[in-house]
Amino acid sequence: MAGYEYVTPEQLAGFDKYKYSAVDSNPLSLYVMHPFWNTVVKIFPTWLAPNLITFSGFLLLVFNFFLMAYFDPDFYASAPDHEHVPNRVWVMVGLLNFVAYTLDGVDGKQARRTNSSSPLGELFDHGLDSWACMFFVVTVYSTFGRGSNGVSVFVLYLLLWVVLFSFILSHWEKYNTGILFLPWGYDISQVTISVVYIVTAIVGVEAWYAPFLFNFLYRDLFTAMIIGCALTVTVPMSLINFYKAYKSNTLKHRSVYEIMLPFFSPALLFILCMIWIFMSPSDILEVHPRLFYFMVGTAFANISCQLIVCQMSSTRCQPLNWMLLPLALVIFVVISGVAPHWENLLLYLLTAFITLAHIHYGVGVVSQLSKHFNIRPFSLQKPRTD
């Protein structure tokens, strides 16, 4: 199992022919962030590998997630009559979130600056982004939490899926059009989230209790922004880009079945988890919301990574991800009443299994592609060939 090769010979051959093609039309990105990143990237030494920059940014998001888990384990810290997260923590989380966003923006520029661009770098970047979706969404939830002035854990679960769907939608576009249209919502959300953390440190979480317009609370604004951005920007732009490719006869797939394949596994993941939530004997989402989000986000990341491998190698997306099998088995055991008192333990075991399996997949794919392209993932020096 240690040396299992996830990337098939057909996919490796597809990676050899791969050419990066992306479109970024977001005004915030084009006129504000890219000039800023062009300045920042000059700070980094030319011996620094782009993948190391990418991984460092991702680790900052992971650190923020676990830091907030320590201070706000059950998402009640921002509720009235609860001990709030210290202001210095909000400042730290806000700064680290912006640094992580900046590192995600400069890694590609560092690759071009050092002439080290490769399909592995793009896969590494977007693969980590698929996991990062869960980390930054769940972390920002602590600004409002689940108290009387907050958002319920079920609503946050649905909002998490709005973000996950927006991510998979952009890679569905690329799977069918061959072009990655960078979503506008990402840059807007990252800047907004960083600002919200800093503002929370200054004004305190109590400021979010009061309505900002009539009876419209800030928690409602939080919900409306995520859903509104998806419905008014992300989905319409994706459909327009798909339609343009259809009209120009440049779609890579023709049948409806092939076109919709990338949605099968995410949809099944969503359905299975909804069944678990509604039929849970112990109300699992209410009891372990953070762990449940983590499990869902990690399984989604694996589904996304496998899709990215297929779209970059121009190979067929598999309709079902194998990680859905242990998930379905656990749900069956839980709702069938076979082990009514083991639900919490099964969630812990399933989360650990999915996490280790996803890490093994990521390490295996990176190792395979590094060997195939004769590069080192975290160094610009070439491997020794003797």
Side-chain angles (χ1 to χ4, degrees):
M1 187 65 182
Y4 185 82
E5 294 187 341
Y6 291 99
V7 186
T8 66
E10 179 188 5
Q11 290 173 332
L12 289 175
F15 273 108
D16 288 332
K17 304 172 186 176
Y18 177 74
K19 299 294 182 184
Y20 179 66
S21 180
V23 174
D24 188 356
S25 57
N26 183 1
L28 174 62
S29 176
L30 292 176
Y31 301 112
V32 179
M33 300 315 303
H34 276 293
F36 172 68
W37 294 332
N38 288 332
T39 301
V40 171
V41 74
K42 297 175 183 177
I43 299 173
F44 296 111
T46 54
W47 52 260
L48 184 62
N51 286 343
L52 197 55
I53 297 175
T54 304
F55 193 54
S56 298
F58 172 75
L59 290 180
L60 292 180
L61 293 178
V62 175
F63 176 80
N64 275 353
F65 175 86
F66 285 104
L67 179 66
M68 202 55 68
Y70 175 78
F71 285 100
D72 185 21
D74 298 319
F75 302 110
Y76 278 116
S78 292
D81 302 322
H82 284 74
E83 184 178 353
H84 297 328
V85 174
N87 289 342
R88 66 181 183 279
V89 174
W90 289 121
V91 173
M92 180 186 298
V93 170
L95 293 177
L96 292 182
N97 187 84
F98 187 76
V99 171
Y101 169 53
T102 300
L103 294 178
D104 189 43
V106 304
D107 54 5
K109 296 181 183 298
Q110 176 74 349
R112 290 183 287 274
R113 179 172 173 244
T114 56
N115 197 29
S116 59
S117 298
S118 70
L120 173 60
E122 181 182 344
L123 175 62
F124 192 75
D125 185 7
H126 295 161
L128 290 179
D129 285 345
S130 68
W131 207 359
C133 290
M134 179 273 301
F135 288 112
F136 73 74
V137 171
V138 177
T139 302
V140 77
Y141 179 40
S142 288
T143 57
F144 305 96
R146 61 196 288 202
S148 57
N149 297 94
V151 178
S152 73
V153 290
F154 180 69
V155 170
L156 194 276
Y157 172 75
L158 297 179
L159 294 178
L160 173 62
W161 266 105
V162 171
V163 175
L164 298 182
F165 175 75
S166 298
F167 181 90
I168 207 73
L169 191 62
S170 64
H171 289 280
W172 168 81
E173 282 182 77
K174 189 176 182 183
Y175 178 75
N176 286 289
T177 67
I179 302 173
L180 179 63
F181 297 91
L182 299 175
W184 285 25
Y186 175 69
D187 296 287
I188 296 171
S189 65
Q190 290 304 302
V191 173
T192 302
I193 287 172
S194 299
V195 171
V196 165
Y197 286 139
I198 301 300
V199 171
T200 301
I202 297 173
V203 302
V205 295
E206 295 85 358
W208 307 125
Y209 297 167
F212 78 99
L213 181 66
F214 303 111
N215 291 323
F216 201 66
L217 299 175
Y218 283 99
R219 68 177 184 190
D220 303 318
L221 178 64
F222 170 68
T223 303
M225 284 182 62
I226 293 178
I227 298 176
C229 185
L231 294 180
T232 62
V233 180
T234 304
V235 173
M237 291 185 69
S238 292
L239 295 178
I240 290 172
N241 293 330
F242 179 86
Y243 180 73
K244 287 180 178 178
Y246 170 76
K247 292 296 289 183
S248 62
N249 202 33
T250 57
L251 283 178
K252 300 176 68 175
H253 308 282
R254 282 297 168 184
S255 72
V256 175
Y257 176 76
E258 292 290 340
I259 288 171
M260 301 302 291
L261 265 180
F263 289 133
F264 286 9
S265 286
L268 186 54
L269 174 63
F270 175 77
I271 292 170
L272 286 173
C273 291
M274 287 291 281
I275 292 173
W276 192 352
I277 291 170
F278 283 114
M279 300 188 70
S280 169
S282 64
D283 206 357
I284 195 69
L285 186 62
E286 289 289 334
V287 177
H288 293 294
R290 191 179 292 273
L291 188 64
F292 198 90
Y293 299 147
F294 186 90
M295 182 272 295
V296 172
T298 305
F300 173 84
N302 190 263
I303 292 170
S304 299
C305 286
Q306 295 197 36
L307 169 61
I308 295 169
V309 167
C310 291
Q311 47 131 298
M312 291 182 67
S313 60
S314 296
T315 54
R316 185 175 183 268
C317 175
Q318 296 302 308
L320 294 177
N321 184 288
W322 72 269
M323 280 193 183
L324 297 175
L325 295 177
L327 172 62
L329 178 61
V330 167
I331 293 173
F332 174 78
V333 171
V334 167
I335 67 177
S336 65
V338 174
H341 303 296
W342 291 6
E343 185 175 13
N344 293 341
L345 176 61
L346 287 173
L347 176 60
Y348 275 100
L349 293 176
L350 177 66
T351 303
F353 174 77
I354 288 177
T355 302
L356 292 174
H358 181 55
I359 292 174
H360 188 275
Y361 174 82
V363 172
V365 170
V366 169
S367 299
Q368 242 187 298
L369 290 179
S370 297
K371 182 179 179 181
H372 180 74
F373 289 111
N374 192 35
I375 57 178
R376 292 176 175 174
F378 297 117
S379 174
L380 296 181
Q381 295 182 351
K382 290 289 184 180
R384 302 175 66 176
T385 56
D386 47 66

